[in-house]
Amino acid sequence: MTTNAKTAALEALIDAHAIELKLPTVRRRFRALAAEATREQQTPVAYLGALLEAEINERTERRERRRLNDARFPQIKRLDDFRFQDNPNVPQATIAALAEGSWIDDRESVILIGDSGTGKTHLATALAVCACQAGRRVRFTTLAGLANELQEAEGRRELARVVARYARSELVVLDELGYLALPDGAAELVFQVLSERHERGSLIVTTNLPFGEWTKVFADPRLAKAVVDRLTHRAHIIDTGSESWRFHHGLTQTKRRRGQPA
């Protein structure tokens, strides 16, 4: 058998073993990395190490992509893209500490409270993305979306299953509390999820309403008080202020287009 034939047979064997062992990156890259190792005169151990590292790195990336998809973010936003200079109300050191995720281990929560355009959803999403990158199960939803999902589940007699699914997530992001009042019956269903997660799992909540005005969302004052009590217990409360950086950014862009000083 010629050298080329032996090489082809060995490559076919490696290919088959990689399929059997479920090593797709090894299967796809072993030839290219072998050629690179030959050019750089690497040892067999160095080549094997590079090949296995490539497999591990791609598995990590695939798991992260899967967690990000499972979280159902409307958009991926990261802390690196948040312009802290546009909103000095946001404590950068506090956000950086929260990004490390120990508060999730402690089953604490984060409440971002402030007017529209102050970066609440960006920060909530970015912290949740950090959690995904750390290997945590995350779920993102708006309050209205959660209410609709729970009501539909109740209609299908699947409410317990949906509530349990939210309970299993290590972190749930509840966005836009305060923009819409909950429809009849939905407030109690949302309260079930919040009660199930209380001291068992972490939440990030964004709201444009002071706590004293949550009766605009949860019409029953006693229920509103119970929700506030549960959410604020063991919570990091961050006030993002009232100055909309989106408004200022849009105004600056308009001035630039008109040739006016920003």
Side-chain angles (χ1 to χ4, degrees), residues 100-114:
E100 296 177 2
S102 62
W103 60 281
I104 301 176
D105 294 325
D106 296 334
R107 296 176 177 82
E108 296 172 347
S109 293
V110 173
I111 300 176
L112 296 159
I113 182 169

Side-chain angles (χ1 to χ4, degrees), residues 74 77 112 118-126 140 175-176 206 246:
K77 296 180 181 291
L112 296 159
T118 56
K120 302 185 301 298
T121 297
H122 188 140
L123 291 169
T125 303
F140 183 104
D175 196 27
E176 298 182 350
T206 73
R246 281 203 300 260

Side-chain angles (χ1 to χ4, degrees), residues 114-158:
D115 285 356
S116 177
T118 56
K120 302 185 301 298
T121 297
H122 188 140
L123 291 169
T125 303
L127 290 174
V129 167
C130 290
C132 287
Q133 292 171 329
R136 302 182 191 275
R137 297 185 306 277
V138 175
R139 187 64 178 268
F140 183 104
T141 183
T142 62
L143 178 65
L146 176 61
N148 290 337
E149 184 179 1
L150 294 173
Q151 286 189 310
E152 290 174 3
E154 185 180 41
R156 300 191 305 269
R157 297 184 179 180
E158 296 178 354

Side-chain angles (χ1 to χ4, degrees), residues 86 117 242-254 262:
D86 287 343
S242 58
E243 293 293 323
S244 172
W245 66 263
R246 281 203 300 260
F247 172 78
H248 288 298
H249 179 72
L251 185 62
T252 300
Q253 294 296 101
T254 299

Side-chain angles (χ1 to χ4, degrees), residues 12-66:
L13 184 61
I14 293 172
D15 195 78
H17 287 336
I19 293 173
E20 178 69 21
L21 294 172
K22 296 181 174 59
L23 300 172
T25 306
V26 168
R27 183 187 180 200
R28 189 176 68 256
R29 299 190 60 186
F30 77 87
R31 295 176 181 84
L33 289 178
E36 181 180 322
T38 300
R39 286 194 306 271
E40 298 181 2
Q41 297 182 326
Q42 296 177 1
T43 64
V45 171
Y47 162 65
L48 179 60
L51 188 60
L52 294 177
E53 183 178 14
E55 181 70 48
I56 289 173
N57 288 341
E58 291 205 19
R59 284 191 179 190
T60 299
E61 291 174 5
R62 287 195 299 271
R63 284 196 295 267
E64 181 180 323
R65 287 195 298 270
R66 186 167 60 249

